[in-house]
Amino acid sequence: MASNNKEFKSSKFGHLPLSTSGPEECALTGSALLRSPYHNKGSAFPSNERKEFKLFGLLPPNVQTIQEQVDRAYQQYSSHPDALAKNTFMTSMKEQNEVLYYRLIQDHLKEMFSIIYTPTEGDAIQNFSRLFRRPEGCFLNIDDLDRVHENLAQWGDPEDIDYIVVTDGEEILGIGDQGVGGILISVAKLVLTTLCAGIHPSRTLPVVLDCGTDNEQLLNDELYLGLRKPRVRGKQYNDFVDTFVQSARKLYPGAYIHFEDFGLTNARRILDEYSPKIACFNDDVQGTGCVTLAAIMAGLHVSKLKLTDMRLVIFGSGTAGTGVADQVRDAIAAESAKSKDDAAKQIWCVDKPGLLLKSHGDRLTHGQEPYARDDGEWHGKDHSDLLSVIKEVKPHILLGLSTKPKAFTEEIVKEMAKHVDRPIIFPLSNPTRLHEADPKDINEWTEGKALIATGSPFPPVEYNGKKYEVAECNNSTCFPGIGLGAVLSRTKLLSDKMLVAAVKALAAQSPALKDPDKGLLPDVVNVREISVHIAAAVIKQAIEDGLATEKGIPDNDNDLDEWIREQMWEPRYRPLVRIEKRNASKHAKGELGVGGAQRESR
């Protein structure tokens, strides 16, 4: 991964608690130090540290560089026969040496992204109970409501946790209910926040809310590690979620809470319940919406169309689809004098029953209701399928989040291209086999006029000898930077305006702004630099909204940039300074981010 972060960190902000300049204190010695994933350098411990920390005789004599370690680790990684074996190897490395783990991924990000995240992490989650070796994260279960606060309290003191990812495991990565195995999606998302935005890995907390599972395969698996009962819903479920949120806020008041992979009936409802009260985020609802809106904004720039004038059809109106609709609606409202209700009239949502209409009543989810059209608008008009809606609406933009492969047929795409000069078409469903259309086909059917983004990486497409780069709507270019801005500003809430600011910052990095044949979004390999820009935009908007609580945030853009970079963790070995345990912080003792390491006073 290309990193433009300055190798030499500024001392101007070296006094900050999250500063990553200079040496680190360490109270561990000997084999205890080698067992600490955060402090361990393995064969890269220099001679002076081997002497000071009593490591002679515990390591081979040759002192190596981190690059030599990366080269060896990559050879070991490459020797594994399949993706899941590679994923397991990486998990083992993370448990031994975090710096080397992140540096290896950073150097091979394009190749390894699909191993540490989707689709391979989905396979690991499905096999969680069979591959289980050691626990990572906090396991809360609905039958132990009275112990939620106590269990969460094991992870540190109020100032120790910056970022929490929590899931109930009901709708994991498109593979459905995975019960307690959902802990691995919380772990994986936090890996991405560190990798992509420099969130300190020892200051994060992955959580799973085990509410049981409706997955019969898991219920019948004698090795399944979660609650062996049908998924609990209703008041008991709501009380469980609320107990978690209230406990997390009391124990870690500065922490940002990221909800992940909750079920369709709960994701939006929970976000709406808590977003007016705490700094929280749902990547399925908001992250997908933000990155897609950024691509839309870049596409509108190329097609010379205003956001306030465009017409949008969304095919697939579940959590992600309505989340995208929300972000587009909010951006239209922010860019104009329109209310959110009026802005929603520029969006047509299509799902299993066809176009969403008010007469669908109870069949509409909470997230779909704002986009249901008045039946009178469609009296006497066919609205039962996507083609009919396209013919009537004549949209500038068509988004696919349906997981229905080949849904964007040649007839549909050509119908859309009849009415607009540069149709913006995003088949976003994952994995690749579920895409609504192949970018190559879209490009040919529109004679090279379409502006295309997808949910998975695709090679460039070509028409009449002209190449066009297909952008990938990868949430990882967006949600880590938003989280970084929220953490560093210690914002009270994550406002709509802060999300719009993040979207604009991402869209401003679009290669298509300089060359219309380039991708609508920047490449994920540049994600740390992108995250700096997004974090800066989020922080400035938090200050403008009166939500930032952190003191001493620079008001000068150059200083703000430096202030952000200084607090971004990087996978590099810092010099260690030995201190006595009685004077040591939890970080120095290797206890930060480790369950059961809280002070007795808690």
Side-chain angles (χ1 to χ4, degrees):
M1 172 169 51
S3 174
N4 293 320
N5 276 358
K6 301 164 186 173
E7 187 65 30
F8 176 77
K9 295 249 184 174
S10 164
S11 60
K12 181 189 294 187
F13 300 112
H15 63 283
L16 296 170
L18 296 181
S19 168
T20 53
S21 290
E24 289 187 296
E25 293 181 342
C26 180
L28 302 175
T29 60
S31 58
L33 176 54
L34 297 178
R35 289 196 301 269
S36 170
Y38 191 83
H39 292 300
N40 183 25
K41 301 180 183 180
S43 60
F45 276 108
S47 294
N48 65 310
E49 290 182 358
R50 293 184 183 209
K51 180 179 179 180
E52 182 69 18
F53 291 93
K54 300 181 180 179
L55 297 174
F56 282 120
L58 300 179
L59 291 167
N62 186 25
V63 176
Q64 295 192 307
T65 65
I66 191 170
Q67 188 56 56
E68 288 172 325
Q69 288 183 316
V70 167
D71 292 344
R72 178 193 298 109
Y74 183 67
Q75 289 180 20
Q76 294 170 348
Y77 167 89
S78 301
S79 71
H80 289 277
D82 57 57
L84 187 56
K86 287 179 167 69
N87 177 280
T88 303
F89 168 78
M90 294 302 292
T91 298
S92 178
M93 175 176 289
K94 183 171 181 282
E95 294 167 350
Q96 298 171 53
N97 184 330
E98 281 194 331
V99 171
L100 181 56
Y101 168 81
Y102 283 106
R103 176 63 184 272
L104 176 63
I105 300 171
Q106 182 175 290
D107 286 2
H108 300 277
L109 183 63
K110 280 271 194 180
E111 176 183 351
M112 293 186 174
F113 199 93
S114 64
I115 300 296
I116 63 165
Y117 194 52
T118 182
T120 310
E121 189 65 15
D123 295 337
I125 292 168
Q126 286 181 302
N127 288 279
F128 172 73
S129 294
R130 294 180 174 274
L131 297 175
F132 182 83
R133 293 180 180 176
R134 58 182 295 183
E136 182 173 8
C138 182
F139 297 81
L140 303 176
N141 84 72
I142 199 163
D143 290 340
D144 285 335
L145 193 65
D146 293 341
R147 285 211 293 263
V148 167
H149 187 92
E150 177 186 349
N151 293 346
L152 273 176
Q154 298 181 85
W155 298 87
D157 291 316
E159 69 281 2
D160 290 340
I161 301 296
D162 291 331
Y163 201 123
I164 298 171
V165 175
V166 59
T167 184
D168 71 352
E170 186 173 7
E171 195 59 53
I172 300 289
L173 292 175
I175 57 175
D177 190 341
Q178 298 301 316
V180 76
I183 188 65
L184 293 186
I185 194 62
S186 296
V187 171
K189 282 289 185 177
L190 287 170
V191 165
L192 295 181
T193 66
T194 297
L195 185 69
C196 301
I199 299 293
H200 292 232
S202 60
R203 298 181 60 83
T204 64
L205 177 57
V207 179
V208 63
L209 305 179
D210 189 349
C211 308
T213 179
D214 291 335
N215 185 329
E216 289 295 329
Q217 187 175 349
L218 295 180
L219 290 173
N220 295 325
D221 184 353
E222 61 183 13
L223 295 181
Y224 179 58
L225 290 166
L227 290 178
R228 200 182 300 270
K229 60 190 287 186
R231 186 170 283 275
V232 177
R233 303 185 186 277
K235 184 178 184 303
Q236 188 180 354
Y237 173 87
N238 294 338
D239 289 346
F240 183 37
V241 173
D242 190 62
T243 300
F244 159 74
V245 172
Q246 301 308 328
S247 296
R249 292 300 293 162
K250 183 175 181 180
L251 291 165
Y252 311 113
Y256 170 78
I257 297 179
H258 173 142
F259 297 105
E260 183 69 25
D261 286 346
F262 282 72
L264 179 61
T265 58
N266 292 319
R268 168 55 57 87
R269 182 179 62 82
I270 290 172
L271 181 65
D272 288 348
E273 171 70 22
Y274 294 106
S275 57
K277 304 171 185 174
I278 64 172
C280 63
F281 179 82
N282 185 308
D283 192 41
D284 310 291
V285 177
Q286 296 166 300
T288 302
C290 285
V291 72
T292 304
L293 176 56
I296 287 172
M297 284 182 164
L300 292 174
H301 175 87
V302 173
S303 59
K304 298 179 172 57
L305 189 68
K306 292 181 180 179
L307 184 66
T308 51
D309 295 331
M310 65 87 212
R311 296 181 298 277
L312 164 65
V313 169
I314 298 177
F315 182 63
S317 303
T319 301
T322 55
V324 172
D326 284 351
Q327 296 304 320
V328 175
R329 176 200 63 190
D330 293 349
I332 294 170
E335 294 285 306
S336 66
K338 292 183 178 181
S339 66
K340 287 188 178 182
D341 287 344
D342 284 342
K345 293 177 182 176
Q346 293 180 226
I347 303 168
W348 288 259
C349 290
V350 181
D351 209 70
K352 292 173 184 176
L355 182 69
L356 298 185
L357 299 173
K358 289 195 183 328
S359 61
H360 289 143
D362 292 342
R363 286 185 289 167
L364 298 172
T365 67
H366 179 67
Q368 291 172 343
E369 288 173 359
Y371 305 100
R373 313 296 294 200
D374 288 327
D375 290 65
E377 294 177 22
W378 289 80
H379 181 70
K381 301 173 183 176
D382 189 0
H383 49 74
S384 60
D385 57 38
L386 180 60
L387 178 60
S388 301
V389 175
I390 294 292
K391 286 181 177 179
E392 182 64 28
V393 174
K394 301 176 177 57
H396 303 94
I397 305 167
L398 173 61
L399 307 181
L401 298 111
S402 67
T403 66
K404 186 177 179 182
K406 310 296 183 185
F408 293 174
T409 63
E410 181 175 0
E411 185 179 10
I412 286 171
V413 171
K414 285 186 172 180
E415 177 64 33
M416 183 176 174
K418 282 182 189 177
H419 308 288
V420 291
D421 292 333
R422 300 297 304 268
I424 299 171
I425 304 177
F426 297 174
L428 298 174
S429 291
N430 279 320
T432 306
R433 61 183 172 80
L434 299 180
H435 266 38
E436 288 80 7
D438 190 304
K440 182 176 179 292
D441 291 333
I442 294 173
N443 196 51
E444 289 196 7
W445 296 336
T446 61
E447 299 178 348
K449 294 190 298 180
L451 299 169
I452 308 167
T454 56
S456 298
F458 275 88
V461 294
E462 188 173 331
Y463 184 79
N464 283 349
K466 189 175 184 179
K467 280 191 175 181
Y468 175 75
E469 292 183 10
V470 178
E472 180 189 358
C473 281
N474 188 327
N475 291 20
S476 300
T477 59
C478 198
F479 82 82
I482 294 172
L484 178 63
V487 166
L488 296 185
S489 66
R490 301 297 173 188
T491 184
K492 298 174 189 175
L493 304 171
L494 187 64
S495 68
D496 290 345
K497 288 184 178 180
M498 290 165 71
L499 291 176
V500 172
V503 169
K504 288 181 176 179
L506 177 56
Q509 305 298 306
S510 168
L513 301 186
K514 296 179 180 178
D515 182 346
D517 293 324
K518 296 292 186 181
L520 296 174
L521 291 172
D523 197 302
V524 71
V525 297
N526 301 313
V527 67
R528 283 180 73 94
E529 189 66 19
I530 296 164
S531 291
V532 172
H533 291 283
I534 291 175
V538 168
I539 291 167
K540 287 193 281 188
Q541 189 62 53
I543 294 170
E544 186 176 326
D545 290 347
L547 296 172
T549 64
E550 182 65 32
K551 306 297 183 185
I553 300 175
D555 53 14
N556 172 282
D557 283 354
N558 289 333
D559 283 349
L560 178 60
D561 180 280
E562 209 167 314
W563 185 82
I564 292 168
R565 293 176 192 273
E566 175 62 31
Q567 298 178 86
M568 292 173 68
W569 186 87
E570 295 183 65
R572 58 188 176 91
Y573 294 133
R574 293 166 63 184
L576 297 181
V577 175
R578 186 178 172 185
I579 62 169
E580 295 300 320
K581 274 196 174 183
R582 65 177 178 272
N583 302 320
S585 65
K586 288 200 296 300
H587 176 80
K589 290 186 286 189
E591 295 175 353
L592 198 60
V594 178
Q598 84 280 18
R599 294 175 185 159
E600 291 182 5
S601 61
R602 170 65 68 80

mmCIF file of all heavy atoms in Angstrom, residues 234-261:
data_model
loop_
_atom_site.group_PDB
_atom_site.id
_atom_site.type_symbol
_atom_site.label_atom_id
_atom_site.label_comp_id
_atom_site.label_asym_id
_atom_site.label_seq_id
_atom_site.Cartn_x
_atom_site.Cartn_y
_atom_site.Cartn_z
ATOM 1 N N GLY A 234 -37.564 -9.134 19.931
ATOM 2 C CA GLY A 234 -38.522 -8.394 20.748
ATOM 3 C C GLY A 234 -37.870 -7.643 21.893
ATOM 4 O O GLY A 234 -36.718 -7.227 21.832
ATOM 5 N N LYS A 235 -38.620 -7.493 22.995
ATOM 6 C CA LYS A 235 -38.192 -6.668 24.117
ATOM 7 C C LYS A 235 -36.882 -7.165 24.731
ATOM 8 O O LYS A 235 -36.003 -6.368 25.079
ATOM 9 C CB LYS A 235 -39.274 -6.620 25.194
ATOM 10 C CG LYS A 235 -38.930 -5.690 26.355
ATOM 11 C CD LYS A 235 -40.044 -5.642 27.384
ATOM 12 C CE LYS A 235 -39.726 -4.629 28.482
ATOM 13 N NZ LYS A 235 -38.445 -4.906 29.173
ATOM 14 N N GLN A 236 -36.741 -8.476 24.872
ATOM 15 C CA GLN A 236 -35.520 -9.009 25.469
ATOM 16 C C GLN A 236 -34.299 -8.630 24.630
ATOM 17 O O GLN A 236 -33.239 -8.278 25.167
ATOM 18 C CB GLN A 236 -35.612 -10.529 25.620
ATOM 19 C CG GLN A 236 -34.447 -11.125 26.410
ATOM 20 C CD GLN A 236 -34.541 -12.635 26.551
ATOM 21 O OE1 GLN A 236 -35.535 -13.261 26.152
ATOM 22 N NE2 GLN A 236 -33.516 -13.247 27.120
ATOM 23 N N TYR A 237 -34.443 -8.696 23.317
ATOM 24 C CA TYR A 237 -33.356 -8.302 22.411
ATOM 25 C C TYR A 237 -33.055 -6.814 22.563
ATOM 26 O O TYR A 237 -31.884 -6.410 22.693
ATOM 27 C CB TYR A 237 -33.737 -8.623 20.967
ATOM 28 C CG TYR A 237 -32.765 -8.105 19.940
ATOM 29 C CD1 TYR A 237 -31.649 -8.860 19.573
ATOM 30 C CD2 TYR A 237 -32.943 -6.866 19.337
ATOM 31 C CE1 TYR A 237 -30.743 -8.386 18.625
ATOM 32 C CE2 TYR A 237 -32.045 -6.383 18.396
ATOM 33 C CZ TYR A 237 -30.954 -7.142 18.048
ATOM 34 O OH TYR A 237 -30.062 -6.663 17.127
ATOM 35 N N ASN A 238 -34.097 -5.989 22.542
ATOM 36 C CA ASN A 238 -33.903 -4.541 22.652
ATOM 37 C C ASN A 238 -33.228 -4.164 23.968
ATOM 38 O O ASN A 238 -32.355 -3.289 24.012
ATOM 39 C CB ASN A 238 -35.244 -3.814 22.534
ATOM 40 C CG ASN A 238 -35.858 -3.963 21.157
ATOM 41 O OD1 ASN A 238 -35.167 -4.233 20.177
ATOM 42 N ND2 ASN A 238 -37.171 -3.806 21.078
ATOM 43 N N ASP A 239 -33.621 -4.830 25.049
ATOM 44 C CA ASP A 239 -33.010 -4.569 26.353
ATOM 45 C C ASP A 239 -31.526 -4.953 26.351
ATOM 46 O O ASP A 239 -30.697 -4.274 26.972
ATOM 47 C CB ASP A 239 -33.741 -5.337 27.458
ATOM 48 C CG ASP A 239 -35.135 -4.784 27.745
ATOM 49 O OD1 ASP A 239 -35.438 -3.661 27.285
ATOM 50 O OD2 ASP A 239 -35.921 -5.486 28.417
ATOM 51 N N PHE A 240 -31.217 -6.044 25.664
ATOM 52 C CA PHE A 240 -29.826 -6.516 25.576
ATOM 53 C C PHE A 240 -28.963 -5.479 24.845
ATOM 54 O O PHE A 240 -27.886 -5.092 25.325
ATOM 55 C CB PHE A 240 -29.809 -7.859 24.854
ATOM 56 C CG PHE A 240 -28.465 -8.517 24.749
ATOM 57 C CD1 PHE A 240 -27.536 -8.435 25.784
ATOM 58 C CD2 PHE A 240 -28.138 -9.266 23.622
ATOM 59 C CE1 PHE A 240 -26.300 -9.076 25.685
ATOM 60 C CE2 PHE A 240 -26.920 -9.898 23.524
ATOM 61 C CZ PHE A 240 -25.994 -9.805 24.554
ATOM 62 N N VAL A 241 -29.443 -5.030 23.689
ATOM 63 C CA VAL A 241 -28.698 -4.026 22.918
ATOM 64 C C VAL A 241 -28.532 -2.748 23.739
ATOM 65 O O VAL A 241 -27.442 -2.155 23.801
ATOM 66 C CB VAL A 241 -29.410 -3.718 21.585
ATOM 67 C CG1 VAL A 241 -28.727 -2.550 20.863
ATOM 68 C CG2 VAL A 241 -29.424 -4.959 20.690
ATOM 69 N N ASP A 242 -29.597 -2.319 24.400
ATOM 70 C CA ASP A 242 -29.531 -1.079 25.171
ATOM 71 C C ASP A 242 -28.588 -1.215 26.363
ATOM 72 O O ASP A 242 -27.839 -0.276 26.677
ATOM 73 C CB ASP A 242 -30.926 -0.687 25.659
ATOM 74 C CG ASP A 242 -30.956 0.713 26.248
ATOM 75 O OD1 ASP A 242 -30.676 1.675 25.508
ATOM 76 O OD2 ASP A 242 -31.226 0.844 27.454
ATOM 77 N N THR A 243 -28.600 -2.365 27.006
ATOM 78 C CA THR A 243 -27.680 -2.587 28.125
ATOM 79 C C THR A 243 -26.239 -2.504 27.651
ATOM 80 O O THR A 243 -25.378 -1.909 28.321
ATOM 81 C CB THR A 243 -27.941 -3.957 28.782
ATOM 82 O OG1 THR A 243 -29.282 -3.990 29.267
ATOM 83 C CG2 THR A 243 -26.984 -4.213 29.933
ATOM 84 N N PHE A 244 -25.959 -3.088 26.485
ATOM 85 C CA PHE A 244 -24.611 -2.982 25.914
ATOM 86 C C PHE A 244 -24.235 -1.523 25.662
ATOM 87 O O PHE A 244 -23.165 -1.056 26.067
ATOM 88 C CB PHE A 244 -24.494 -3.781 24.617
ATOM 89 C CG PHE A 244 -23.348 -3.310 23.759
ATOM 90 C CD1 PHE A 244 -22.047 -3.615 24.118
ATOM 91 C CD2 PHE A 244 -23.574 -2.510 22.644
ATOM 92 C CE1 PHE A 244 -20.979 -3.133 23.366
ATOM 93 C CE2 PHE A 244 -22.516 -2.027 21.890
ATOM 94 C CZ PHE A 244 -21.214 -2.344 22.250
ATOM 95 N N VAL A 245 -25.112 -0.793 24.963
ATOM 96 C CA VAL A 245 -24.797 0.594 24.600
ATOM 97 C C VAL A 245 -24.581 1.445 25.847
ATOM 98 O O VAL A 245 -23.595 2.201 25.940
ATOM 99 C CB VAL A 245 -25.911 1.197 23.715
ATOM 100 C CG1 VAL A 245 -25.681 2.698 23.515
ATOM 101 C CG2 VAL A 245 -25.969 0.492 22.359
ATOM 102 N N GLN A 246 -25.480 1.336 26.813
ATOM 103 C CA GLN A 246 -25.358 2.155 28.024
ATOM 104 C C GLN A 246 -24.101 1.796 28.808
ATOM 105 O O GLN A 246 -23.409 2.687 29.337
ATOM 106 C CB GLN A 246 -26.602 1.995 28.908
ATOM 107 C CG GLN A 246 -27.921 2.376 28.248
ATOM 108 C CD GLN A 246 -27.897 3.762 27.618
ATOM 109 O OE1 GLN A 246 -27.217 4.678 28.088
ATOM 110 N NE2 GLN A 246 -28.664 3.930 26.539
ATOM 111 N N SER A 247 -23.783 0.515 28.885
ATOM 112 C CA SER A 247 -22.567 0.090 29.595
ATOM 113 C C SER A 247 -21.322 0.588 28.882
ATOM 114 O O SER A 247 -20.377 1.076 29.522
ATOM 115 C CB SER A 247 -22.533 -1.436 29.716
ATOM 116 O OG SER A 247 -23.603 -1.905 30.513
ATOM 117 N N ALA A 248 -21.299 0.458 27.564
ATOM 118 C CA ALA A 248 -20.141 0.910 26.791
ATOM 119 C C ALA A 248 -19.929 2.408 26.957
ATOM 120 O O ALA A 248 -18.791 2.887 27.103
ATOM 121 C CB ALA A 248 -20.321 0.557 25.319
ATOM 122 N N ARG A 249 -21.007 3.163 26.949
ATOM 123 C CA ARG A 249 -20.888 4.616 27.093
ATOM 124 C C ARG A 249 -20.408 5.008 28.486
ATOM 125 O O ARG A 249 -19.641 5.965 28.644
ATOM 126 C CB ARG A 249 -22.238 5.278 26.808
ATOM 127 C CG ARG A 249 -22.675 5.174 25.368
ATOM 128 C CD ARG A 249 -21.681 5.823 24.433
ATOM 129 N NE ARG A 249 -21.612 7.270 24.617
ATOM 130 C CZ ARG A 249 -20.605 8.029 24.180
ATOM 131 N NH1 ARG A 249 -19.573 7.472 23.584
ATOM 132 N NH2 ARG A 249 -20.627 9.327 24.360
ATOM 133 N N LYS A 250 -20.861 4.287 29.494
ATOM 134 C CA LYS A 250 -20.434 4.604 30.861
ATOM 135 C C LYS A 250 -18.976 4.208 31.097
ATOM 136 O O LYS A 250 -18.204 4.961 31.712
ATOM 137 C CB LYS A 250 -21.339 3.885 31.859
ATOM 138 C CG LYS A 250 -21.019 4.222 33.311
ATOM 139 C CD LYS A 250 -22.015 3.575 34.270
ATOM 140 C CE LYS A 250 -21.688 3.943 35.718
ATOM 141 N NZ LYS A 250 -22.641 3.318 36.678
ATOM 142 N N LEU A 251 -18.601 3.044 30.586
ATOM 143 C CA LEU A 251 -17.250 2.535 30.823
ATOM 144 C C LEU A 251 -16.205 3.237 29.965
ATOM 145 O O LEU A 251 -15.093 3.497 30.424
ATOM 146 C CB LEU A 251 -17.220 1.030 30.549
ATOM 147 C CG LEU A 251 -17.995 0.158 31.531
ATOM 148 C CD1 LEU A 251 -18.197 -1.238 30.964
ATOM 149 C CD2 LEU A 251 -17.266 0.099 32.872
ATOM 150 N N TYR A 252 -16.563 3.528 28.705
ATOM 151 C CA TYR A 252 -15.617 4.108 27.747
ATOM 152 C C TYR A 252 -16.265 5.314 27.075
ATOM 153 O O TYR A 252 -16.660 5.258 25.898
ATOM 154 C CB TYR A 252 -15.203 3.052 26.713
ATOM 155 C CG TYR A 252 -14.777 1.750 27.364
ATOM 156 C CD1 TYR A 252 -15.526 0.586 27.209
ATOM 157 C CD2 TYR A 252 -13.641 1.702 28.162
ATOM 158 C CE1 TYR A 252 -15.150 -0.596 27.832
ATOM 159 C CE2 TYR A 252 -13.258 0.515 28.794
ATOM 160 C CZ TYR A 252 -14.008 -0.623 28.624
ATOM 161 O OH TYR A 252 -13.633 -1.790 29.246
ATOM 162 N N PRO A 253 -16.406 6.415 27.798
ATOM 163 C CA PRO A 253 -17.188 7.556 27.307
ATOM 164 C C PRO A 253 -16.635 8.201 26.044
ATOM 165 O O PRO A 253 -17.377 8.862 25.317
ATOM 166 C CB PRO A 253 -17.171 8.537 28.483
ATOM 167 C CG PRO A 253 -16.006 8.123 29.325
ATOM 168 C CD PRO A 253 -15.893 6.641 29.168
ATOM 169 N N GLY A 254 -15.353 7.995 25.761
ATOM 170 C CA GLY A 254 -14.782 8.584 24.550
ATOM 171 C C GLY A 254 -14.825 7.669 23.341
ATOM 172 O O GLY A 254 -14.377 8.049 22.262
ATOM 173 N N ALA A 255 -15.362 6.461 23.509
ATOM 174 C CA ALA A 255 -15.327 5.479 22.412
ATOM 175 C C ALA A 255 -16.419 5.734 21.379
ATOM 176 O O ALA A 255 -17.544 6.114 21.710
ATOM 177 C CB ALA A 255 -15.457 4.068 22.972
ATOM 178 N N TYR A 256 -16.072 5.484 20.145
ATOM 179 C CA TYR A 256 -16.962 5.576 18.991
ATOM 180 C C TYR A 256 -17.491 4.166 18.732
ATOM 181 O O TYR A 256 -16.720 3.193 18.701
ATOM 182 C CB TYR A 256 -16.127 6.095 17.833
ATOM 183 C CG TYR A 256 -16.695 6.099 16.444
ATOM 184 C CD1 TYR A 256 -17.597 7.078 16.032
ATOM 185 C CD2 TYR A 256 -16.239 5.176 15.496
ATOM 186 C CE1 TYR A 256 -18.040 7.114 14.722
ATOM 187 C CE2 TYR A 256 -16.689 5.217 14.190
ATOM 188 C CZ TYR A 256 -17.591 6.189 13.809
ATOM 189 O OH TYR A 256 -18.029 6.246 12.502
ATOM 190 N N ILE A 257 -18.811 4.020 18.590
ATOM 191 C CA ILE A 257 -19.422 2.694 18.437
ATOM 192 C C ILE A 257 -19.862 2.470 16.991
ATOM 193 O O ILE A 257 -20.614 3.260 16.431
ATOM 194 C CB ILE A 257 -20.620 2.515 19.390
ATOM 195 C CG1 ILE A 257 -20.149 2.601 20.854
ATOM 196 C CG2 ILE A 257 -21.311 1.175 19.150
ATOM 197 C CD1 ILE A 257 -21.263 2.456 21.875
ATOM 198 N N HIS A 258 -19.369 1.398 16.416
ATOM 199 C CA HIS A 258 -19.613 1.028 15.020
ATOM 200 C C HIS A 258 -20.461 -0.247 15.016
ATOM 201 O O HIS A 258 -20.002 -1.312 15.431
ATOM 202 C CB HIS A 258 -18.244 0.817 14.356
ATOM 203 C CG HIS A 258 -18.264 0.270 12.965
ATOM 204 N ND1 HIS A 258 -17.379 0.697 11.998
ATOM 205 C CD2 HIS A 258 -19.004 -0.694 12.372
ATOM 206 C CE1 HIS A 258 -17.589 0.024 10.889
ATOM 207 N NE2 HIS A 258 -18.577 -0.835 11.090
ATOM 208 N N PHE A 259 -21.723 -0.124 14.588
ATOM 209 C CA PHE A 259 -22.618 -1.291 14.472
ATOM 210 C C PHE A 259 -22.365 -1.975 13.135
ATOM 211 O O PHE A 259 -22.290 -1.318 12.092
ATOM 212 C CB PHE A 259 -24.081 -0.854 14.551
ATOM 213 C CG PHE A 259 -24.480 -0.217 15.858
ATOM 214 C CD1 PHE A 259 -24.670 1.147 15.958
ATOM 215 C CD2 PHE A 259 -24.662 -0.991 16.993
ATOM 216 C CE1 PHE A 259 -25.040 1.739 17.153
ATOM 217 C CE2 PHE A 259 -25.035 -0.414 18.203
ATOM 218 C CZ PHE A 259 -25.223 0.955 18.279
ATOM 219 N N GLU A 260 -22.289 -3.301 13.152
ATOM 220 C CA GLU A 260 -21.917 -4.032 11.937
ATOM 221 C C GLU A 260 -22.759 -5.293 11.752
ATOM 222 O O GLU A 260 -22.912 -6.097 12.684
ATOM 223 C CB GLU A 260 -20.436 -4.421 12.011
ATOM 224 C CG GLU A 260 -19.905 -5.117 10.774
ATOM 225 C CD GLU A 260 -19.810 -4.206 9.554
ATOM 226 O OE1 GLU A 260 -19.686 -2.978 9.723
ATOM 227 O OE2 GLU A 260 -19.853 -4.737 8.430
ATOM 228 N N ASP A 261 -23.303 -5.453 10.558
ATOM 229 C CA ASP A 261 -23.968 -6.692 10.140
ATOM 230 C C ASP A 261 -25.106 -7.130 11.059
ATOM 231 O O ASP A 261 -25.266 -8.323 11.355
ATOM 232 C CB ASP A 261 -22.945 -7.825 9.970
ATOM 233 C CG ASP A 261 -22.116 -7.652 8.699
ATOM 234 O OD1 ASP A 261 -22.513 -6.831 7.855
ATOM 235 O OD2 ASP A 261 -21.080 -8.321 8.557
#
